[in-house]
Amino acid sequence: MKWSLLLAVLVTASADRPKRARLADDGVFASLQPQDSEYRELRSLDGVWQFRLAPRADPERGFRGLPMPVPSSYNDITEHASVRDHLGWAWYSTEAWVPRSWAGQRAVLRVGSAHYTASVYVNGALVVTHSGGHLPFAADVTDRLQPGQANLVTVAVNNTLTDVTVPQGRTVYKDNNTNYVYPAGYATLEYNFDFFNYAGIHRPVVLYTTPPTFIDDVVVTTTLENDGTATVKYHVSTSSRLSDDSATIEVSLATPDGSVMAEAAGSTGSISVTAPQLWWPYLMDAQPGRQYTLEVRMAAASGARDVYRQKFGIRQFSWNATTLAVNGRPVYIRGFGMHEDSDLRGKGLDLPLIVKDFNLIEWVGANCFRTSHYPYAEEIMDAADARGILVIDETPAVSLDYSATAGDDRLLNEHLAALDGMIRRDKNRPSVFIWSLSNEAKTSQPEAVPYYTRLVNYARTLDGTRPITAVLNTYPDAELVAPLIDVVCANRYFGWYSDTGHTEVIELQSEHFFTLWHETFHKPVINSEYGADTVAGLHEEPTFVFSEEYQTQLMARNFHAFEAMRARGWFAGEMIWNFADFMTKQDTTRVVGNRKGIFTRQRQPKMAAHLLRSRYWGLARLTDWPDLPLPADLMFSDSYTALDDDQCPAP
């Protein structure tokens, strides 16, 4: 390890660190997912890096190295509360050997996600900075890498949030007063969102090559025609490190089984597909998640060649004042809010957990999840595409408050940048069903109208093929943003945050509340969050809050309301909060995290998981697949409501 070079990087970091984050050097937020091909080579830098914290009072210190896995949050890896609760800069470093064969190729360093602000150095030189903890960023490092040698890669990460970051937070310095005294300079990070502010390098770090002239972006859209055919439209962008190098494009289209069915030439074009094999959500078809592949081939005048293979699904989304549809068929959302969260790794990428989670999603019979409250890892999105799970893709804008930033566009600019990065990254994904601009922001404030007008208009310029939502927690008579969006997603915890312990009022209140949303704004309505904290293994009869019996009774009362509203034609779905228990900051209302999951944090089912499974499979048979065979091991009623009188007794 080049320790003298690393020391120089750390000591000069304060002077080098830009005041504003900038976009990645190689384009639009590294929107194309890296892949190996005939002309590209991909090398993972994942592994155990050297790690050190920089004390907030003296960010140039912190030279004692600790081993730290990448990807992973750093908070739960050590035995030190000072690491778990650290606020400020943390430094990662590793060596990357680059083969001599990379000489003459363009080289890119890409970070899948680093929370929240990051500065990246290669051999002591700053190559890129980025703000925003849930999207990839990259830099062209061709002129910084030394082929045939070990190269020092250093990533500085800062988890500090402010009034103008997305999400927001605030460093609160504690002053001494009559009742409390604190050490000099004592401060904590305060934030309003209900999940732990995990920090670190959360997703893969890779080096990869392209030719000097290369494929920079691929956009694919699909349309279903009235004659039963489908049209696949594509647009390919190229870039070059050379001053003047023209390129030609050829494409071929392969079916889900890999057979080439069509070819075309040109950077922009369309291909007609006869008898298309459509992408369907899980339990809407016997073969969900079918994907085609568009192979893009580039030939440059300089002799450079490049190939990129873009997967996509042939499908079409539509919506009106009452209904959401996939391929012309109405779809009822059966889903969850989720979190990227697990023991030890925090928000770090965890491939075994991803596979397990999708197995559980299918076991429950769900067809959708929301990326609450930030864009999820590309590996999670890949699984959703392949397994036919619809996704409501959400920006990191949770609990935004504009009052502290009046007249300051920095918050909006950060929000627009996150929206841009999310849509450009996920634009080709067949699973992405709805773009969500935010969760539980202050959408009743007057400042919200011009703010969200900018967001909605920008989202529509990037993609007009999907509906837009913002997840709301206001009341219809005070709501100002709902007229701008296509789908109303509203969170409401009847029987938990209001009228706690009183499940007898849930059905009446839920029907009244969500009916008002539709009657006021004339849009499809989804209950995007409902639920109750539940300690696994705690049982009380009669039911009592935090017991498994209370969670299931609360769910059953909501199911009655959902069925009544679904019958009226405008209620488009239900998404329980949450898929699994997850970590939060320490608080007197949270016992080692939020316990609203139907699964524990270790992915073991509570009683609620079995009840929800019965409902979701029954709903799938009723709404999507009449001949769907139900699992033989359902623990509750096999009727579509999953409700018997003894499961939801009268109060």
Side-chain angles (χ1 to χ4, degrees):
M1 180 66 72
K2 302 174 182 177
W3 293 110
S4 60
L5 181 55
L6 176 59
L7 181 63
V9 169
L10 291 171
V11 170
T12 59
S14 296
D16 287 342
R17 202 172 298 126
K19 298 298 184 183
R20 279 280 299 152
R22 57 185 171 85
L23 299 185
D25 290 336
D26 74 332
V28 286
F29 283 92
S31 57
L32 280 187
Q33 194 169 354
Q35 60 180 229
D36 283 310
S37 77
E38 298 90 324
Y39 304 103
R40 295 180 175 223
E41 186 174 351
L42 177 66
R43 290 205 164 198
S44 172
L45 300 188
D46 294 352
V48 178
W49 292 36
Q50 287 296 301
F51 174 83
R52 53 204 48 80
L53 296 178
R56 187 170 58 253
D58 187 2
E60 295 178 2
R61 293 181 56 204
F63 303 139
R64 180 185 175 191
L66 299 171
M68 187 60 64
V70 170
S72 176
S73 301
Y74 62 70
N75 307 81
D76 294 341
I77 298 300
T78 78
E79 303 308 307
H80 304 291
S82 60
V83 176
R84 181 194 63 203
D85 301 329
H86 175 71
L87 176 60
W89 289 98
W91 294 84
Y92 291 80
S93 60
T94 193
E95 284 187 341
W97 276 90
V98 175
R100 296 185 186 277
S101 60
W102 281 28
Q105 296 292 301
R106 170 178 172 264
V108 178
L109 176 64
R110 187 182 196 259
V111 181
S113 169
H115 189 75
Y116 175 81
T117 301
S119 297
V120 182
Y121 303 80
V122 174
N123 293 326
L126 178 68
V127 295
V128 66
T129 63
H130 184 258
S131 178
H134 308 283
L135 289 165
F137 57 98
D140 184 327
V141 295
T142 308
D143 298 331
R144 299 297 182 184
L145 285 180
Q146 299 173 358
Q149 299 183 36
N151 294 262
L152 177 65
V153 177
T154 306
V155 180
V157 179
N158 194 323
N159 61 347
T160 303
L161 303 176
T162 71
D163 287 337
V164 295
T165 59
V166 179
Q168 293 171 305
R170 182 173 296 178
T171 302
V172 178
Y173 289 90
K174 303 299 181 82
D175 296 326
N176 294 335
N177 57 51
T178 303
N179 299 316
Y180 299 98
V181 294
Y182 298 95
Y186 185 81
T188 58
L189 180 67
E190 304 296 332
Y191 48 88
N192 291 328
F193 50 87
D194 189 31
F195 54 94
F196 193 83
N197 188 45
Y198 278 113
I201 302 175
H202 285 154
R203 297 174 191 164
V205 181
V206 298
L207 281 168
Y208 68 93
T209 64
T210 72
T213 301
F214 56 96
I215 297 165
D216 190 40
D217 200 11
V218 180
V219 181
V220 182
T221 58
T222 62
T223 306
L224 305 186
E225 308 297 347
N226 293 332
D227 62 0
T229 64
T231 300
V232 176
K233 296 181 179 179
Y234 67 88
H235 177 72
V236 179
S237 302
T238 61
S239 295
S240 182
R241 287 178 54 84
L242 307 178
S243 58
D244 184 16
D245 192 20
S246 60
T248 60
I249 297 295
E250 294 181 345
V251 304
S252 59
L253 182 62
T255 62
D257 65 6
S259 303
V260 175
M261 58 161 294
E263 295 184 337
S267 60
T268 300
S270 63
I271 298 172
S272 180
V273 180
T274 304
Q277 301 178 54
L278 300 183
W279 187 95
W280 286 104
Y282 179 59
L283 298 185
M284 284 191 80
D285 188 85
Q287 292 183 280
R290 285 177 289 199
Q291 296 183 81
Y292 287 70
T293 301
L294 187 75
E295 179 178 291
V296 180
R297 300 181 298 277
M298 182 215 74
S302 64
R305 299 289 185 269
D306 196 10
V307 173
Y308 192 86
R309 295 174 176 88
Q310 178 64 60
K311 287 188 175 183
F312 68 96
I314 296 180
R315 54 93 182 100
Q316 184 169 312
F317 299 141
S318 56
W319 62 96
N320 56 32
T322 60
T323 307
L324 303 172
V326 178
N327 302 331
R329 287 174 53 187
V331 61
Y332 183 81
I333 298 301
R334 314 180 304 272
F336 315 92
M338 298 184 72
H339 267 298
E340 287 182 310
D341 177 274
S342 65
D343 289 331
L344 302 181
R345 298 162 185 82
K347 292 195 179 304
L349 180 73
D350 186 335
L351 296 179
L353 188 74
I354 291 172
V355 174
K356 178 65 173 179
D357 282 353
F358 276 89
N359 290 342
L360 290 173
I361 289 170
E362 291 181 352
W363 179 82
V364 172
N367 63 2
C368 184
F369 65 84
R370 175 163 59 110
T371 69
S372 41
H373 300 295
Y374 37 81
Y376 286 1
E378 288 157 299
E379 292 79 0
I380 295 175
M381 306 300 284
D382 289 343
D385 291 339
R387 298 176 76 156
I389 304 300
L390 294 166
V391 177
I392 299 176
D393 209 356
E394 188 162 276
T395 76
V398 54
S399 303
L400 289 192
D401 185 348
Y402 329 99
S403 60
T405 61
D408 187 342
D409 286 338
R410 287 180 296 169
L411 177 66
L412 176 59
N413 290 337
E414 288 290 323
H415 199 163
L416 287 167
L419 179 63
D420 180 274
M422 180 180 75
I423 293 179
R424 292 187 190 276
R425 189 195 73 167
D426 295 339
K427 58 188 177 295
N428 295 324
R429 294 193 175 278
S431 61
V432 174
F433 185 39
I434 300 173
W435 301 118
S436 175
L437 304 178
S438 61
N439 177 78
E440 295 188 355
K442 306 298 184 184
T443 54
S444 60
Q445 294 178 348
E447 298 90 342
V449 176
Y451 186 100
Y452 275 86
T453 298
R454 287 277 304 277
L455 290 171
V456 170
N457 290 343
Y458 188 61
R460 295 199 197 284
T461 65
L462 295 175
D463 177 33
T465 68
R466 297 172 175 91
I468 295 171
T469 192
V471 179
L472 311 171
N473 71 334
T474 56
Y475 289 90
D477 60 354
E479 175 57 45
L480 299 176
V481 167
L484 303 174
I485 59 180
D486 302 309
V487 182
V488 170
C489 290
N491 300 342
R492 191 59 59 184
Y493 291 84
F494 299 114
W496 188 251
Y497 291 125
S498 62
D499 297 297
T500 308
H502 294 281
T503 60
E504 66 273 13
V505 303
I506 290 174
E507 188 174 350
L508 174 66
Q509 291 182 345
S510 182
E511 285 192 51
H512 173 75
F513 178 74
F514 289 103
T515 299
L516 274 179
W517 279 110
H518 178 69
E519 290 180 346
T520 303
F521 299 108
H522 307 289
K523 302 174 190 290
V525 176
I526 296 173
N527 184 335
S528 43
E529 288 186 26
Y530 71 98
D533 280 86
T534 304
V535 178
L538 178 62
H539 297 281
E540 292 287 337
E541 187 61 43
T543 62
F544 206 84
V545 291
F546 291 101
S547 69
E548 294 200 42
E549 287 79 7
Y550 188 82
Q551 185 181 34
T552 55
Q553 188 175 76
L554 179 143
M555 291 165 60
R557 292 294 187 183
N558 275 284
F559 295 167
H560 277 302
F562 298 161
E563 281 304 299
M565 294 183 290
R566 191 177 63 80
R568 296 169 196 158
W570 49 262
F571 191 69
E574 56 198 72
M575 306 185 77
I576 196 166
W577 188 262
N578 190 283
F579 175 77
D581 296 345
F582 57 91
M583 188 53 64
T584 64
K585 64 183 177 182
Q586 298 184 71
D587 191 273
T588 55
T589 64
R590 295 285 179 256
V591 182
V592 194
N594 188 305
R595 300 299 187 101
K596 292 187 180 68
I598 65 165
F599 297 101
T600 67
R601 202 182 190 204
Q602 296 73 35
R603 276 40 179 190
Q604 295 304 311
K606 302 175 188 177
M607 187 190 304
H610 295 284
L611 177 60
L612 192 69
R613 184 184 186 216
S614 295
R615 173 162 177 79
Y616 279 3
W617 276 89
L619 279 169
R621 186 170 63 172
L622 182 74
T623 63
D624 296 335
W625 190 347
D627 298 326
L628 175 69
L630 296 178
D633 60 344
L634 291 181
M635 292 183 63
F636 290 87
S637 166
D638 63 358
S639 69
Y640 70 87
T641 59
L643 300 175
D644 291 331
D645 288 342
D646 61 346
Q647 293 169 15
C648 186

